[in-house]
């Protein structure tokens, strides 16, 4: 065990595969609902896990625009894949959430009750740097201002983050362009780097918080040496050189907002299905709709909040009709919000370069390509 | 606020399989409440007792396939304060609308021993093609939860909370992995109206389009993506020619495929 105080915030230790299993079990025993990557439906999804045996050992994902498939790696790597169809917002900003129920009583009064927040705190295993930045963006959007979303706050507060430094960026990854990875820098309790090869399979565990240090006291470990830290840094440097895509963000806000009538918007509108998949898989998209349902008697009612999207016709429905009736106007709204007006609203880009919107677009629309086309042809759009 | 009089409900059948109106009987837990809240004035699948019109709310199942039915729906409309169509037959013409793209006299002589007994139109069309409709509830069959929502909305005088976006939104909300992206399955989900809860993709199959076109449809782009993934045009044509073959955007997409061949 630790004899040099390495398992303290700012320190780093080494664990093996059994240590990873012990970590998951220690978190579960500590009352956390442990969520991590697992195989499901032909993809690496996020699911509740009880042991390291459920992690997708030896699998990787091959991603291209509109395409995702699993492949065997042949090396037994636990975290040898990029990001899948799910993001952490599935747990923190739930897709469907009943906000309250109301019932008319026999005396005519109405009683309303909010649904209680979830009992268990989350522990997330395998959070990538891009996704950690996405969580930080949703923090800013949902609980960073004067009006805080109590539902998000209840799930986010106390969530234990076990980050993983990316070793296998996907074909649609561009976190380096967005300055969001691949190496995690903050916002974690523990950060793992998987070291594999030359007969070893172990993890460098960087301790990011006091509770991270406390959990590591329950996991067999040894102090990390300088060679381990160097090896971990090399893993991230290699990952940084393997980005599948890149996005030139130079003056991107002005570029997009200065080209609102660029012909490329018509071009992409001819391909866009307005199906909303990109917004659903985006780890920062946060829009919801609120529906009220009254039962047959009119005596009971409930309010349900669900993920919504700027791609639906009803999203911009005001008195008299929809403001954004064309697909062109909806794609442009999404992209200009994500990459330009997000800065005005929240002080950062809304894109973390995870590439999910490219992979999970059924027709493979690639925002990096769309931006590049607008940049290349921006003289066209000038009036 | 207590209503002074129970809503008088009528259920009508045109060319259909009865499956959608049976969804009403399938409401089980809610059925007694429904019977308390509304007066079921006419519903032949449940009772032969019949209360004369007019009716506050008519649920209309089925499509118009005969001259007699084209007249009858006008009378139903005249007797109904609100008219809601239920199911793909009533909202798009149903599977029987495949006749719209074939030769009806030829079918009749091939199928019936005495074709002279058959009196039918050459088309199967949606109720809304004949009379004004207050709300169209999609599906083949309809979803009983959505039916209850529509009934509750009309009874309580509010707008039904029925989303018109794509099935993809339902897949994503329930966490289903996209079958088109991960399995290369031909899926109508991106252009199909939500409502079923995205059942088929949850079982690894592409969407069959039972709920007809979504609020926004770009069928050409979807067809191009299927082609790129190795789908044949004949297969795509077949997928578009099913329960909602006569629904505007699906019909147009199938016709475009046909013309290209």
């Amino acid at each position: 065990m630790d004899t040099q105080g390495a398992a303290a915030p700012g320190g780093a230790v080494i664990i093996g595969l059994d240590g990873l299993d012990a970590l998951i079990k220690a978190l579960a025993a500590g009352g956390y609902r442990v969520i991590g990557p697992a195989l499901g439906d032909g993809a690496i999804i996020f699911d509740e896990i009880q042991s390291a045996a459920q992690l997708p050992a030896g699998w990787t994902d091959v991603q291209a625009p509109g395409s995702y498939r699993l492949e065997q790696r042949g090396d037994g790597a636990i975290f040898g894949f990029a990001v899948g169809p799910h993001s952490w917002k599935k747990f923190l900003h739930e897709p469907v959430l009943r906000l309250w129920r109301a019932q008319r009583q026999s005396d005519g009064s109405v009683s309303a009750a909010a649904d209680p927040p979830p009992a268990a705190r989350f522990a997330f295993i395998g959070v990538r740097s891009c996704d950690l930045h996405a969580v930080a963006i949703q923090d800013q959007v949902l609980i960073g201002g004067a009006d805080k979303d109590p539902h998000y706050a209840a799930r986010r507060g106390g969530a234990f983050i076990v980050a993983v430094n990316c070793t296998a960026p996907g074909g649609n990854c561009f976190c380096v362009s967005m300055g969001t990875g691949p190496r995690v820098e903050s916002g974690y309790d523990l950060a793992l780097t998987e070291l594999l090869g030359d007969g070893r399979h172990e993890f460098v565990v960087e301790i990011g918080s006091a509770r991270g240090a406390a959990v590591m006291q329950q996991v067999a470990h040894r102090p990390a040496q300088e060679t381990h830290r160097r090896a971990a840094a090399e893993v991230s440097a290699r990952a940084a050189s393997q980005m599948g895509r890149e996005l030139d963000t130079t003056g991107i806000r002005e570029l997009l907002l200065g080209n609102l009538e660029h012909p490329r918007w018509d071009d992409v509108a001819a391909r866009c299905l307005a199906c909303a998949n990109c917004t659903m898989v985006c780890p920062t998209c946060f829009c919801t709709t609120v529906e009220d349902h009254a039962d047959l008697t009119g005596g009971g009612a409930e309010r349900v909040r669900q993920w919504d999207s700027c791609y639906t016709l009803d999203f911009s429905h005001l008195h008299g009709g929809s403001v954004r009736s064309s697909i062109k106007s909806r794609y442009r709204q999404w992209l200009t919000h994500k990459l330009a007006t997000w800065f005005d609203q929240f002080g950062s880009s809304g894109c973390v370069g995870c590439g999910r919107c490219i992979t999970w677009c059924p027709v493979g629309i690639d925002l990096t390509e769309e931006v590049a086309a607008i940049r290349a042809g921006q003289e066209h759009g000038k009036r | 606020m207590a209503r002074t009089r129970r809503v008088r409900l009528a259920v009508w059948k045109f060319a259909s399989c009865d499956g959608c109106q049976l969804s009403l009987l399938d409401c089980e837990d809610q059925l007694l409440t429904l019977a308390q809240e509304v007066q079921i004035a006419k519903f032949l699948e449940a009772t032969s007792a019949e209360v004369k019109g007019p009716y506050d709310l008519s649920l209309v199942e089925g499509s118009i396939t005969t001259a007699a039915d084209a007249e009858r729906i006008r009378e139903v409309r005249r007797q109904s304060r609100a008219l809601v169509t239920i199911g793909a037959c009533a909202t798009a013409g149903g599977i029987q609308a495949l006749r719209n793209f074939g030769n009806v006299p030829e079918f009749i002589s091939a199928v019936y021993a005495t074709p002279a007994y058959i009196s039918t139109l050459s088309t199967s069309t949606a109720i809304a093609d004949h009379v004004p409709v207050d709300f169209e509830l999609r599906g083949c069959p309809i979803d009983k939860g959505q039916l209850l929502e529509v009934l509750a909305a009309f009874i309580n005088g509010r707008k039904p909370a029925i989303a018109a976006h794509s099935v993809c939104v339902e897949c994503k909300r329930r966490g289903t992995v996209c079958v088109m992206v991960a399995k290369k399955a031909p899926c109508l989900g991106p252009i199909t109206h939500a409502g079923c809860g995205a059942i088929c993709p949850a079982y690894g199959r592409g969407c069959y389009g039972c709920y007809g076109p979504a609020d926004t449809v770009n069928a050409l782009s979807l067809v191009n993506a299927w082609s790129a993934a190795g789908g044949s045009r004949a297969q795509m044509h077949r997928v578009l020619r099913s329960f909602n073959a006569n629904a505007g955007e699906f019909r147009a997409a199938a016709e475009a495929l046909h013309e290209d061949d």
Side-chain angles (χ1 to χ4, degrees), chain A residues 41 66-68 86 95 269-273 275 277 280-281 293-295 297 306-307 312-313 327 330 359-360 363, chain B residues 33 37 149 152 156 158 161 165-166 168-169 172-173 175 177-178 180-184 190 215-216 218 221-222 225:
Chain A
D41 279 350
S67 172
Y68 178 102
H86 292 169
R271 286 171 280 134
C272 176
L273 301 171
C275 60
N277 275 304
M280 297 281 127
V281 296
H293 298 270
D295 66 16
T297 67
Q306 306 190 79
W307 285 356
T312 74
L313 188 61
I327 294 181
R330 286 180 240 168
T359 301
W360 300 100
V363 296
Chain B
T33 313
E37 292 302 313
E149 166 61 21
N156 291 307
R158 63 175 171 85
H165 53 60
S166 72
C168 300
V169 174
K172 289 296 183 286
R173 282 182 189 151
V177 176
C178 180
M180 197 167 156
V181 169
K183 297 196 171 90
K184 304 290 167 224
D215 60 15
T216 308
N218 184 351
S221 177
L222 184 66

